[in-house]
Amino acid sequence: ALVIALYFARRFLEPILSLAEGAKAVAQGDFSQQCPVYRSDELGHLTTLFNHMTVQLSIAQQASEHNRLQQEAARHYLETVLNSITAGVVTLDEAGKLNTYNHSAETILGMPLNNLLGSSWHDWGHQTPQHALLAELFQAILDNRDNEQTIQTTYSGSDEARILLAKAMPLPEDHGKGMVLVFDDVTALVH
């Protein structure tokens, strides 16, 4: 009787222990875990469902990684394109915080923008006179955002006064609300 009891206990516990080990592996991020199906009853059906779930999780993880790699490649491509153009490009979120910029923007503006990332251009006027001039430039560009045409404005860089052609455009809806400011130094051309 004891041997028979142990046999049936082991027969019932083996699928449960297998599922517990599989659940532990899934909790640690290993979705390749497949549990053997010992029986054709409810525990066997539960094991089959568990195996199906791990396959689906593995597929979803692979798709997520593929999408992440695609987004990373698209971001790298966009950064390469932005850094290869001579016009300055700056993106602001809906609160006016600086999100991105290209190297040409720093060159045209004559100041580093890295320390301004994540801060609102509305607050720059309180830092230094050069930051105040930059905030005034952004204000002038954004004041004409509803106008479809490019504006000409002056900007006193750290070394000289510059004449800029600038335009503000809204970001596409799928990238969130915000603005793209594009400007180019036409001082030499005007002179």
Side-chain angles (χ1 to χ4, degrees):
L2 184 58
V3 169
I4 292 173
L6 288 174
Y7 169 75
F8 281 112
R10 184 169 185 214
R11 191 166 176 233
F12 282 114
L13 281 178
E14 212 167 280
I16 294 171
L17 292 175
S18 175
L19 282 173
E21 286 297 316
K24 189 177 184 181
V26 168
Q28 294 173 349
D30 178 13
F31 301 127
S32 64
Q33 187 74 26
Q34 292 288 304
C35 297
V37 179
Y38 293 106
R39 306 160 56 154
S40 60
D41 60 358
E42 290 82 10
L43 284 175
H45 183 66
L46 181 63
T47 305
T48 303
L49 289 175
F50 176 82
N51 289 339
H52 179 71
M53 177 194 70
T54 58
V55 168
Q56 294 299 317
L57 286 171
S58 179
I59 291 170
Q61 183 184 38
Q62 290 171 359
S64 174
E65 181 64 17
H66 178 71
N67 287 339
R68 187 191 67 76
L69 291 174
Q70 280 185 324
Q71 286 179 345
E72 184 68 25
R75 185 187 62 77
H76 179 68
Y77 174 78
L78 183 59
E79 284 177 357
T80 303
V81 169
L82 283 177
N83 285 325
S84 67
I85 60 176
T86 58
V89 180
V90 170
T91 62
L92 305 171
D93 68 8
E94 60 186 329
K97 293 180 181 178
L98 179 64
N99 278 341
T100 59
Y101 61 90
N102 66 351
H103 178 69
S104 297
E106 289 183 315
T107 303
I108 293 169
L109 298 173
M111 64 185 298
L113 298 176
N114 191 40
N115 58 343
L116 298 175
L117 279 173
S119 65
S120 174
W121 68 269
H122 301 286
D123 302 328
W124 297 347
H126 306 295
Q127 295 181 15
T128 66
Q130 189 62 42
H131 287 93
L133 291 172
L134 182 59
E136 289 175 15
L137 172 67
F138 280 26
Q139 181 68 53
I141 297 170
L142 289 168
D143 283 345
N144 289 295
R145 66 178 161 248
D146 296 329
N147 186 352
E148 293 294 319
Q149 297 185 0
T150 305
I151 65 160
Q152 181 175 318
T153 186
T154 57
Y155 171 72
S156 298
S158 58
D159 52 353
E160 65 182 44
R162 297 180 179 140
I163 301 170
L164 304 179
L165 285 180
K167 186 172 184 175
M169 299 164 284
L171 282 170
E173 289 294 322
D174 57 338
H175 292 289
K177 295 184 179 182
M179 298 297 289
V180 177
L181 307 183
V182 181
F183 46 88
D184 204 358
D185 186 356
V186 293
T187 308
L189 182 65
V190 171
H191 288 306

